[in-house]
Amino acid sequence: MRPRPYVRCPGCDLVGPAERLDYELGDTGDVDWAQQVTWQCAECGYLDTITADQVLAVDAAHTCVDCATQTPCPASAARVECERCGLIGLGPATADPEIAGQLRAIEALHDMELRVQQALRASRDPSGGPRPA
Ligand SMILES: [Zn+2]
Ligand SMILES: [Zn+2]
Protein backbone atom coordinates (compact mmCIF):
# COMPACT_ATOMS: atom_id res chain seq x y z
CA MET A 1 0.00 0.00 0.00
CA ARG A 2 1.09 3.58 -0.63
CA PRO A 3 2.78 5.37 2.26
CA ARG A 4 0.46 7.38 4.48
CA PRO A 5 2.48 9.75 6.59
CA TYR A 6 0.91 10.99 9.81
CA VAL A 7 1.33 14.66 10.71
CA ARG A 8 -0.09 16.88 13.44
CA CYS A 9 -2.78 19.13 11.94
CA PRO A 10 -1.86 22.83 12.22
CA GLY A 11 -5.60 23.61 12.31
CA CYS A 12 -6.96 21.35 15.06
CA ASP A 13 -3.77 19.99 16.62
CA LEU A 14 -4.92 16.38 16.20
CA VAL A 15 -3.00 13.55 14.56
CA GLY A 16 -4.99 11.37 12.19
CA PRO A 17 -5.24 9.96 8.67
CA ALA A 18 -5.52 12.50 5.87
CA GLU A 19 -8.77 13.26 4.09
CA ARG A 20 -6.70 14.11 1.05
CA LEU A 21 -3.07 13.27 0.40
CA ASP A 22 -1.52 14.08 -2.97
CA TYR A 23 2.10 13.27 -3.63
CA GLU A 24 4.48 11.80 -6.17
CA LEU A 25 6.10 8.47 -5.42
CA GLY A 26 9.89 8.51 -5.43
CA ASP A 27 12.16 5.79 -6.82
CA THR A 28 12.32 4.13 -3.41
CA GLY A 29 8.54 3.67 -3.29
CA ASP A 30 8.29 6.33 -0.62
CA VAL A 31 6.87 9.86 -0.79
CA ASP A 32 8.95 12.12 -3.02
CA TRP A 33 9.39 15.03 -0.60
CA ALA A 34 11.15 17.12 -3.27
CA GLN A 35 7.71 17.57 -4.86
CA GLN A 36 4.81 19.40 -3.26
CA VAL A 37 2.78 17.17 -0.94
CA THR A 38 -0.81 18.30 -0.42
CA TRP A 39 -2.48 17.18 2.75
CA GLN A 40 -5.94 17.74 4.19
CA CYS A 41 -7.03 16.97 7.73
CA ALA A 42 -9.86 14.44 7.92
CA GLU A 43 -10.85 15.80 11.31
CA CYS A 44 -11.27 19.54 10.65
CA GLY A 45 -10.78 19.91 6.88
CA TYR A 46 -7.60 22.02 7.18
CA LEU A 47 -5.78 22.01 3.82
CA ASP A 48 -2.02 22.47 3.73
CA THR A 49 1.20 21.31 2.14
CA ILE A 50 3.42 19.18 4.36
CA THR A 51 7.13 18.50 4.46
CA ALA A 52 9.16 15.51 5.58
CA ASP A 53 10.03 17.16 8.92
CA GLN A 54 6.37 17.23 9.91
CA VAL A 55 5.95 13.48 9.60
CA LEU A 56 5.62 11.81 12.97
CA ALA A 57 7.57 8.73 13.94
CA VAL A 58 5.57 5.53 14.02
CA ASP A 59 6.10 4.34 17.56
CA ALA A 60 2.83 2.59 18.41
CA ALA A 61 0.26 0.29 16.86
CA HIS A 62 -3.48 0.40 16.50
CA THR A 63 -5.62 -2.75 16.55
CA CYS A 64 -8.62 -2.64 14.22
CA VAL A 65 -11.92 -3.33 16.00
CA ASP A 66 -13.23 -4.98 12.85
CA CYS A 67 -10.46 -7.17 11.42
CA ALA A 68 -7.96 -7.13 14.34
CA THR A 69 -5.11 -6.06 12.03
CA GLN A 70 -2.34 -4.13 13.74
CA THR A 71 -1.55 -0.88 11.94
CA PRO A 72 1.63 0.95 12.92
CA CYS A 73 0.95 4.58 13.88
CA PRO A 74 2.34 7.38 16.03
CA ALA A 75 1.43 7.15 19.73
CA SER A 76 -0.01 10.66 19.35
CA ALA A 77 -2.58 9.57 16.71
CA ALA A 78 -6.19 10.33 17.64
CA ARG A 79 -7.48 8.44 14.60
CA VAL A 80 -5.88 5.57 12.69
CA GLU A 81 -6.93 4.06 9.39
CA CYS A 82 -6.68 0.26 9.33
CA GLU A 83 -4.17 -0.68 6.62
CA ARG A 84 -6.12 -3.83 5.81
CA CYS A 85 -9.81 -2.88 5.71
CA GLY A 86 -9.63 0.92 5.76
CA LEU A 87 -11.81 1.30 8.84
CA ILE A 88 -10.90 4.45 10.75
CA GLY A 89 -10.76 3.76 14.45
CA LEU A 90 -9.66 5.54 17.60
CA GLY A 91 -5.91 5.98 17.86
CA PRO A 92 -3.73 5.42 20.94
CA ALA A 93 -3.85 9.12 21.91
CA THR A 94 -7.57 8.86 22.75
CA ALA A 95 -6.65 6.89 25.86
CA ASP A 96 -6.28 10.44 27.17
CA PRO A 97 -9.87 11.64 27.84
CA GLU A 98 -8.86 15.21 27.02
CA ILE A 99 -7.77 14.22 23.49
CA ALA A 100 -10.84 12.00 23.05
CA GLY A 101 -13.03 14.98 23.98
CA GLN A 102 -11.14 17.30 21.64
CA LEU A 103 -11.54 14.81 18.79
CA ARG A 104 -15.30 14.52 19.34
CA ALA A 105 -15.72 18.29 19.48
CA ILE A 106 -13.69 18.95 16.32
CA GLU A 107 -15.38 16.19 14.35
CA ALA A 108 -18.84 17.43 15.38
CA LEU A 109 -17.93 20.97 14.33
CA HIS A 110 -16.50 19.83 10.99
CA ASP A 111 -19.57 17.69 10.36
CA MET A 112 -21.75 20.74 10.91
CA GLU A 113 -19.58 22.82 8.54
CA LEU A 114 -19.90 20.18 5.82
CA ARG A 115 -23.67 20.16 6.23
CA VAL A 116 -23.86 23.94 5.97
CA GLN A 117 -21.70 23.88 2.82
CA GLN A 118 -23.94 21.19 1.36
CA ALA A 119 -27.07 23.21 2.14
CA LEU A 120 -25.52 26.32 0.57
CA ARG A 121 -24.63 24.37 -2.58
CA ALA A 122 -28.14 22.95 -2.77
CA SER A 123 -29.70 26.40 -2.42
CA ARG A 124 -27.44 27.79 -5.17
CA ASP A 125 -28.30 24.98 -7.55
CA PRO A 126 -31.03 26.40 -9.83
CA SER A 127 -32.45 22.97 -10.65
CA GLY A 128 -32.85 21.99 -7.02
CA GLY A 129 -36.00 22.92 -5.16
CA PRO A 130 -38.41 25.82 -5.50
CA ARG A 131 -37.01 29.18 -6.47
CA PRO A 132 -38.12 32.50 -4.93
CA ALA A 133 -40.35 34.46 -7.32
ZN1 LIG B 1 -7.34 19.30 11.64
ZN1 LIG C 1 -9.40 -3.49 9.79
Side-chain angles (χ1 to χ4, degrees), residues 7-15 39-41 43-48 54 102 106 109:
V7 298
R8 184 175 294 280
C9 174
C12 67
D13 208 34
L14 289 170
V15 177
W39 175 91
Q40 185 174 28
C41 176
E43 263 43 82
C44 73
Y46 191 95
L47 185 66
D48 205 359
Q54 280 170 270
Q102 192 188 350
I106 286 163
L109 199 72

mmCIF file of all heavy atoms in Angstrom, residues 7-15 39-41 43-48 54 102 106 109:
data_model
loop_
_atom_site.group_PDB
_atom_site.id
_atom_site.type_symbol
_atom_site.label_atom_id
_atom_site.label_comp_id
_atom_site.label_asym_id
_atom_site.label_seq_id
_atom_site.Cartn_x
_atom_site.Cartn_y
_atom_site.Cartn_z
ATOM 1 N N VAL A 7 0.806 13.382 10.236
ATOM 2 C CA VAL A 7 1.326 14.659 10.712
ATOM 3 C C VAL A 7 0.340 15.251 11.714
ATOM 4 O O VAL A 7 -0.828 14.846 11.749
ATOM 5 C CB VAL A 7 1.538 15.679 9.549
ATOM 6 C CG1 VAL A 7 2.552 15.165 8.551
ATOM 7 C CG2 VAL A 7 0.229 16.021 8.867
ATOM 8 N N ARG A 8 0.811 16.194 12.523
ATOM 9 C CA ARG A 8 -0.088 16.883 13.439
ATOM 10 C C ARG A 8 -0.740 18.028 12.676
ATOM 11 O O ARG A 8 -0.056 18.827 12.048
ATOM 12 C CB ARG A 8 0.682 17.403 14.658
ATOM 13 C CG ARG A 8 -0.230 18.042 15.706
ATOM 14 C CD ARG A 8 0.532 18.429 16.954
ATOM 15 N NE ARG A 8 1.048 17.278 17.685
ATOM 16 C CZ ARG A 8 0.329 16.504 18.517
ATOM 17 N NH1 ARG A 8 -0.942 16.777 18.736
ATOM 18 N NH2 ARG A 8 0.880 15.480 19.120
ATOM 19 N N CYS A 9 -2.072 18.100 12.702
ATOM 20 C CA CYS A 9 -2.779 19.126 11.940
ATOM 21 C C CYS A 9 -2.522 20.502 12.541
ATOM 22 O O CYS A 9 -2.748 20.700 13.726
ATOM 23 C CB CYS A 9 -4.272 18.824 11.943
ATOM 24 S SG CYS A 9 -5.244 20.121 11.168
ATOM 25 N N PRO A 10 -2.077 21.479 11.705
ATOM 26 C CA PRO A 10 -1.862 22.829 12.219
ATOM 27 C C PRO A 10 -3.197 23.509 12.569
ATOM 28 O O PRO A 10 -3.212 24.494 13.299
ATOM 29 C CB PRO A 10 -1.200 23.569 11.054
ATOM 30 C CG PRO A 10 -0.858 22.521 10.045
ATOM 31 C CD PRO A 10 -1.766 21.360 10.284
ATOM 32 N N GLY A 11 -4.293 22.988 12.055
ATOM 33 C CA GLY A 11 -5.597 23.607 12.310
ATOM 34 C C GLY A 11 -6.214 23.150 13.623
ATOM 35 O O GLY A 11 -6.656 23.959 14.432
ATOM 36 N N CYS A 12 -6.258 21.852 13.872
ATOM 37 C CA CYS A 12 -6.963 21.354 15.062
ATOM 38 C C CYS A 12 -6.035 20.661 16.044
ATOM 39 O O CYS A 12 -6.471 20.236 17.105
ATOM 40 C CB CYS A 12 -8.097 20.408 14.651
ATOM 41 S SG CYS A 12 -7.530 18.850 13.915
ATOM 42 N N ASP A 13 -4.764 20.546 15.712
ATOM 43 C CA ASP A 13 -3.765 19.993 16.618
ATOM 44 C C ASP A 13 -3.942 18.488 16.868
ATOM 45 O O ASP A 13 -3.377 17.947 17.797
ATOM 46 C CB ASP A 13 -3.799 20.764 17.945
ATOM 47 C CG ASP A 13 -2.452 20.761 18.633
ATOM 48 O OD1 ASP A 13 -1.435 20.790 17.917
ATOM 49 O OD2 ASP A 13 -2.407 20.704 19.869
ATOM 50 N N LEU A 14 -4.756 17.829 16.039
ATOM 51 C CA LEU A 14 -4.924 16.384 16.203
ATOM 52 C C LEU A 14 -4.076 15.641 15.169
ATOM 53 O O LEU A 14 -3.737 16.178 14.126
ATOM 54 C CB LEU A 14 -6.387 15.991 16.027
ATOM 55 C CG LEU A 14 -7.336 16.409 17.145
ATOM 56 C CD1 LEU A 14 -8.778 16.173 16.726
ATOM 57 C CD2 LEU A 14 -7.043 15.648 18.433
ATOM 58 N N VAL A 15 -3.758 14.398 15.480
ATOM 59 C CA VAL A 15 -3.000 13.548 14.559
ATOM 60 C C VAL A 15 -3.950 12.475 14.053
ATOM 61 O O VAL A 15 -4.572 11.763 14.845
ATOM 62 C CB VAL A 15 -1.805 12.902 15.293
ATOM 63 C CG1 VAL A 15 -1.066 11.954 14.366
ATOM 64 C CG2 VAL A 15 -0.866 13.970 15.827
ATOM 65 N N TRP A 39 -1.924 17.956 1.656
ATOM 66 C CA TRP A 39 -2.485 17.183 2.748
ATOM 67 C C TRP A 39 -3.708 17.898 3.291
ATOM 68 O O TRP A 39 -3.711 19.119 3.416
ATOM 69 C CB TRP A 39 -1.408 17.041 3.837
ATOM 70 C CG TRP A 39 -1.862 16.368 5.095
ATOM 71 C CD1 TRP A 39 -1.794 15.032 5.375
ATOM 72 C CD2 TRP A 39 -2.419 16.989 6.256
ATOM 73 N NE1 TRP A 39 -2.294 14.800 6.637
ATOM 74 C CE2 TRP A 39 -2.677 15.984 7.189
ATOM 75 C CE3 TRP A 39 -2.727 18.313 6.580
ATOM 76 C CZ2 TRP A 39 -3.240 16.238 8.441
ATOM 77 C CZ3 TRP A 39 -3.282 18.572 7.820
ATOM 78 C CH2 TRP A 39 -3.530 17.537 8.747
ATOM 79 N N GLN A 40 -4.767 17.137 3.572
ATOM 80 C CA GLN A 40 -5.943 17.738 4.192
ATOM 81 C C GLN A 40 -6.369 16.923 5.399
ATOM 82 O O GLN A 40 -6.456 15.700 5.349
ATOM 83 C CB GLN A 40 -7.097 17.835 3.198
ATOM 84 C CG GLN A 40 -8.290 18.576 3.799
ATOM 85 C CD GLN A 40 -9.402 18.828 2.802
ATOM 86 O OE1 GLN A 40 -9.559 18.069 1.847
ATOM 87 N NE2 GLN A 40 -10.161 19.871 3.021
ATOM 88 N N CYS A 41 -6.644 17.615 6.475
ATOM 89 C CA CYS A 41 -7.029 16.968 7.733
ATOM 90 C C CYS A 41 -8.428 16.370 7.610
ATOM 91 O O CYS A 41 -9.360 17.036 7.181
ATOM 92 C CB CYS A 41 -7.003 18.004 8.852
ATOM 93 S SG CYS A 41 -7.562 17.369 10.430
ATOM 94 N N GLU A 43 -10.119 15.412 10.102
ATOM 95 C CA GLU A 43 -10.851 15.799 11.308
ATOM 96 C C GLU A 43 -11.513 17.170 11.152
ATOM 97 O O GLU A 43 -12.679 17.337 11.445
ATOM 98 C CB GLU A 43 -9.891 15.837 12.505
ATOM 99 C CG GLU A 43 -9.875 14.590 13.355
ATOM 100 C CD GLU A 43 -9.871 13.304 12.554
ATOM 101 O OE1 GLU A 43 -8.824 12.849 12.096
ATOM 102 O OE2 GLU A 43 -10.959 12.748 12.389
ATOM 103 N N CYS A 44 -10.737 18.171 10.693
ATOM 104 C CA CYS A 44 -11.273 19.544 10.649
ATOM 105 C C CYS A 44 -11.290 20.124 9.240
ATOM 106 O O CYS A 44 -11.797 21.216 9.023
ATOM 107 C CB CYS A 44 -10.482 20.459 11.585
ATOM 108 S SG CYS A 44 -8.837 20.887 10.986
ATOM 109 N N GLY A 45 -10.730 19.425 8.248
ATOM 110 C CA GLY A 45 -10.775 19.909 6.876
ATOM 111 C C GLY A 45 -9.659 20.872 6.511
ATOM 112 O O GLY A 45 -9.638 21.411 5.406
ATOM 113 N N TYR A 46 -8.722 21.113 7.427
ATOM 114 C CA TYR A 46 -7.603 22.024 7.175
ATOM 115 C C TYR A 46 -6.777 21.508 6.002
ATOM 116 O O TYR A 46 -6.379 20.343 5.977
ATOM 117 C CB TYR A 46 -6.747 22.095 8.438
ATOM 118 C CG TYR A 46 -5.697 23.178 8.443
ATOM 119 C CD1 TYR A 46 -5.952 24.410 9.031
ATOM 120 C CD2 TYR A 46 -4.444 22.955 7.892
ATOM 121 C CE1 TYR A 46 -4.991 25.396 9.064
ATOM 122 C CE2 TYR A 46 -3.467 23.938 7.915
ATOM 123 C CZ TYR A 46 -3.747 25.162 8.497
ATOM 124 O OH TYR A 46 -2.783 26.129 8.523
ATOM 125 N N LEU A 47 -6.518 22.403 5.021
ATOM 126 C CA LEU A 47 -5.779 22.014 3.822
ATOM 127 C C LEU A 47 -4.416 22.690 3.846
ATOM 128 O O LEU A 47 -4.326 23.893 4.069
ATOM 129 C CB LEU A 47 -6.572 22.432 2.585
ATOM 130 C CG LEU A 47 -6.029 22.006 1.231
ATOM 131 C CD1 LEU A 47 -6.061 20.500 1.058
ATOM 132 C CD2 LEU A 47 -6.832 22.660 0.122
ATOM 133 N N ASP A 48 -3.368 21.926 3.618
ATOM 134 C CA ASP A 48 -2.024 22.471 3.726
ATOM 135 C C ASP A 48 -1.079 21.649 2.853
ATOM 136 O O ASP A 48 -1.457 20.614 2.323
ATOM 137 C CB ASP A 48 -1.579 22.371 5.196
ATOM 138 C CG ASP A 48 -0.514 23.407 5.548
ATOM 139 O OD1 ASP A 48 -0.099 24.180 4.665
ATOM 140 O OD2 ASP A 48 -0.101 23.442 6.714
ATOM 141 N N GLN A 54 7.599 17.247 9.122
ATOM 142 C CA GLN A 54 6.367 17.229 9.911
ATOM 143 C C GLN A 54 5.882 15.806 10.197
ATOM 144 O O GLN A 54 5.002 15.605 11.020
ATOM 145 C CB GLN A 54 5.267 17.960 9.154
ATOM 146 C CG GLN A 54 5.342 19.451 9.266
ATOM 147 C CD GLN A 54 4.369 20.101 8.287
ATOM 148 O OE1 GLN A 54 4.707 20.400 7.148
ATOM 149 N NE2 GLN A 54 3.138 20.284 8.706
ATOM 150 N N GLN A 102 -11.525 16.344 22.681
ATOM 151 C CA GLN A 102 -11.144 17.301 21.639
ATOM 152 C C GLN A 102 -11.521 16.744 20.264
ATOM 153 O O GLN A 102 -12.059 17.443 19.416
ATOM 154 C CB GLN A 102 -9.635 17.509 21.734
ATOM 155 C CG GLN A 102 -9.105 18.672 20.936
ATOM 156 C CD GLN A 102 -7.575 18.667 20.930
ATOM 157 O OE1 GLN A 102 -6.943 17.910 21.669
ATOM 158 N NE2 GLN A 102 -6.984 19.491 20.113
ATOM 159 N N ILE A 106 -14.135 18.487 17.635
ATOM 160 C CA ILE A 106 -13.686 18.955 16.324
ATOM 161 C C ILE A 106 -14.429 18.229 15.210
ATOM 162 O O ILE A 106 -14.847 18.832 14.224
ATOM 163 C CB ILE A 106 -12.159 18.793 16.205
ATOM 164 C CG1 ILE A 106 -11.501 19.888 17.051
ATOM 165 C CG2 ILE A 106 -11.698 18.886 14.762
ATOM 166 C CD1 ILE A 106 -10.065 19.658 17.365
ATOM 167 N N LEU A 109 -17.963 19.649 14.945
ATOM 168 C CA LEU A 109 -17.927 20.974 14.331
ATOM 169 C C LEU A 109 -17.744 20.861 12.821
ATOM 170 O O LEU A 109 -18.428 21.518 12.040
ATOM 171 C CB LEU A 109 -16.763 21.749 14.946
ATOM 172 C CG LEU A 109 -16.793 23.247 14.799
ATOM 173 C CD1 LEU A 109 -17.877 23.830 15.692
ATOM 174 C CD2 LEU A 109 -15.444 23.845 15.199
#
